[in-house]
Amino acid sequence: MPIEFVLNGIPHRVEPRPDERFLETLRERCGVTSLKDGCSPQGQCGCCLALVDGQPKTTCAMPARVAHGKQIVTLDGLPADERQEIADCFAATAGLQCGFCIPGIALRAKAITDRDPAPTREAIAFALDLHLCRCTGYVKIIDAIELLAAVKRGATIPPACTDGRVGQPLARIGGAQTAVGERPFIDDLTAPGMLHGALTLSPHPRARVLRIDTTRARALPGVRLVATAADVPGERWVGLLYNDWPSFVAVGEEVRCVGDVLAAVAAIDRHTAREAAKLVDVTYELLRPVLDPRRALEPDAPRVNPKHENLLSRSVIRRGGANAALAASAHVVSGTWTTQRIEHLFLEPESALAEPLPDGRLRLRTQGQGIFEDRRQVASFLGLAEDKIFVELVPNGGAFGGKEDMSVQAQTALLAHLTGAPVKLTLSREESIRVHPKRHPLTMDYTVGCDAEGRLTAVSARMIGDSGAYASVGGKVLERAAGHACGPYRVPNVDVESLAVYTNNPPCGAMRGFGANQAHFAMEGCLDLLARKAGLDRWEIRWRNALAVGDTFSTGQVLEKSVGIRKTLEAVKPHYDAALRAGRAVGIACGIKNSGIGNGVEEWGKARLVVEKNGRVTLYNGFTEMGQGLLTVLVQFAVEATGLPASSFVPKVDSTFDLQCGETTGSRGTLLSGRAVLAAGAKLRADLDAGHSLAALAGRVYEGDIVIRDTTALGAPVRKIKTHTTFGYATQVVILDAKGRVERVIAAHDAGRVVNPALCSGQIEGAVHMGLGYALTEELRCENGMPVTFKLKEIGVLRARDMPVVDVILVEEPEPEGPMGAKGVGEIGLVPTAAAVASALEAFDGVRRTTLPMKDSPAARAMSVGFPLGKS
Ligand code: FES
Ligand code: FES
């Protein structure tokens, strides 16, 4: 039945399907893409907000027919000056990162400030209850809304910073447009004649595929193609480190997890594609899944993956004599710490758009964390040379490690390759959760000793991690957990072993912190226990053991420079002491995290500066913008190197040049691409200094390639161990209120050199938000290999009202190998957080918690999320 409504002042008449949600009507039929789809039809992220008869409503949960007769306003329908005002407030306060959640929040900001001219921060936080942001920690979002209210009362918006020098808070490139939904994400893009893709996923964690019948799917009107393993022209098995992940599971093979792909459909619209994907008939022989990593290591356990034995990796560090040192220690503590599987829950689900070009190449628009890795794997999958794929990054709506592995790129490319038409394929929230790798659940047995003065003598640790069905980078995560087993402390005797194990659970791989978070939860817990035994204050035991230049890190690397842990300890000391004096329950934890992959991997930073005819300079680099602000920071290095203003530079990430650097991972984008940009910029500067104008240099390409080759593999028999180029350091203090709720987090972080203070503090605020969720409420529980819930609130990511005050203290301990002294801060922001919360909780109620999430705690019970819906 047709419905009529007025959208942004224009009457519309459409005929939705009976089951159609209004978000689909607005995006697919009316072409309004400022509303995003983060979770439809759950109505739990707020990305799809519109004003319906003046009231803010999430449109993904709203049946389309309900819109009949209504007045609908989206951001696009606001007067231009009002839209600009909102955009400028978010840009001026650095109130966005990836920006996927922000258009919905921006419209909410209008509603909040229309209703209340002077809302408090608490009122704003409560009004954001239907919204989720995975990046910002909400601090700067609330700043933006406060500013908008002030502007409406007559204040002036402070001009967004245009000073691009290093150390200045240059406004995020494209931030204002992203805030009001004008910057498209992949799912907002279209192409002439574009088809839509959808996938058929396995519902079973382990089963043999006996038959795949696509007859019913192909017969559905509007379907153009149904592809299966039989249609793959090249190498069907893909993977970052091992080719152990089939892009399609073939007849006769086993499915190994509930995210495995059996078929892909191309159809005239998304609904038809998804309906057809459901009509693919797969006959399975069910097999008993292996769901426990310890069971997977038993000799009679079925082999999970045909490409590798069930033990994916073993990482070992042995220095000195840990057993003898523990026996001789004045104090020894031991225990088992366990951590949970975590969902990244980036707000933008996976999406790709592939389009055959007239010259025979395939244009692939991806949101992956390594576009050249995507190109390599897709080319191999299609049986094409890499230069037959032109790959382009569309900056994504969050990733946090979850977009390192391929998700839909290969299947989308295949559908476009076979149909000869552009194809876009976007996962639903549920599909996204089933498909991409998670944070590893770990079990860690620790024994740690110290002398009578609290000086650490030895660490013995055994770790086992459930890596799920595919290798991804699971072996590297457990290697990093082992390498960070001793935290930022001087430990003379070390005996650590970590295992990554295949199971039929969802795969686990990279996630912000990459194994360091888990290890710190255990090690920092041991420090607290030792402090009590030794009769020391918890700050003091950390100070006595903190690494300094000349000390040896867990892996055996002697630290030669830029060790900022003591500066971060000093920075929090006044706050820690004041909280103790006030009788508050206070916790403390420290952190260390490598910047750069290291461990013997050759690492490249590559940049090209191209002087264009219009007087601008295109800045190409090989790493991904995913909300962390990399492209803005790179422009700042270009400004420093060339002396040109920030407005001269247009950053771009595509395969115009061969800038293969691998994944944007290991907090290394700033470190590597920053150095490459400085190198390229110096060459352009030389020509400018020689008297050439930019106009005269049009067409010139300035190259910056840097390589790091001097790191050594864990356990390699080398004379000088250097597992990592550099490390970030942190100390965090958590203060609870009288009811045991988290009231304040003080986060002191060593960034080497702060390139952009607004973006840097935003990274840490967002990471603390993620760390608090990890500590208290977040969990992706699985039963029989399948997540038990896909509901955002039950998965437990914190809402604005759940956030305490976060005070970020930026500390600088310059890194000689970093660009102008900088090192990465992408991950370390949450490395110590869970341990600091556990420390505070023990101070509150005397209970030492060793299992995450700590849902039994008063701090967790005070949160609005993380429990089955209906329980308050
Ligand atoms: S997409 Fe509608 S609330 Fe998430
Ligand atoms: S900025 Fe909110 S989800 Fe990324």
Side-chain angles (χ1 to χ4, degrees), residues 333 335 337 444-449 456-461 463 481 484-491 493-494 496 516-530 541-542 545 554 588-590 592 835 848:
V333 296
W337 276 259
M444 299 165 286
D445 296 319
Y446 261 70
T447 304
V448 182
L456 293 169
T457 50
V459 168
S460 168
M463 307 173 174
H484 288 68
C486 301
Y489 304 115
R490 193 185 322 109
V491 181
N493 301 286
V494 179
V496 176
N517 315 34
Q518 293 94 321
H520 278 71
F521 179 55
M523 181 63 191
E524 292 291 317
C526 291
L527 261 279
D528 280 0
L529 295 174
L530 283 174
I541 195 168
R542 288 170 169 84
N545 290 288
S554 306
I588 184 168
C590 296
I592 181 170
R848 167 53 53 177

Side-chain angles (χ1 to χ4, degrees), residues 47 95-102 105 132-136 141 345-348 396-398 400 626-627:
C47 292
L96 75 156
Q97 290 183 25
C98 79
F100 195 79
C101 68
I102 299 297
I105 290 177
L132 194 59
C133 175
R134 190 52 153 164
C135 300
T136 63
I141 285 177
L345 214 70
F346 36 74
L347 263 279
E348 180 204 22
N396 67 42
F400 314 111
M626 45 193 174

Side-chain angles (χ1 to χ4, degrees), residues 23 36-49 58-61 130 792:
L23 175 61
K36 311 297 178 192
D37 184 349
C39 73
S40 68
Q42 294 186 27
Q44 291 186 17
C45 77
C47 292
C48 62
L49 204 77
T58 50
T59 54
C60 72
L130 275 177
L792 269 46

Side-chain angles (χ1 to χ4, degrees), residues 667-728:
S667 301
R668 66 179 186 159
T670 297
L671 179 78
L672 294 167
S673 271
R675 280 176 55 183
V677 168
L678 287 176
K683 294 175 186 168
L684 171 55
R685 178 67 177 254
D687 278 355
L688 292 171
D689 287 348
H692 301 289
S693 66
L694 264 189
L697 297 174
R700 294 270 181 97
V701 179
Y702 296 89
E703 301 183 351
D705 291 337
I706 66 106
V707 62
I708 295 177
R709 291 201 171 98
D710 65 345
T711 63
T712 57
L714 194 68
V718 290
R719 206 165 45 79
K720 180 180 175 185
I721 296 172
K722 184 180 181 185
T723 48
H724 296 99
T725 301
T726 186
F727 299 89

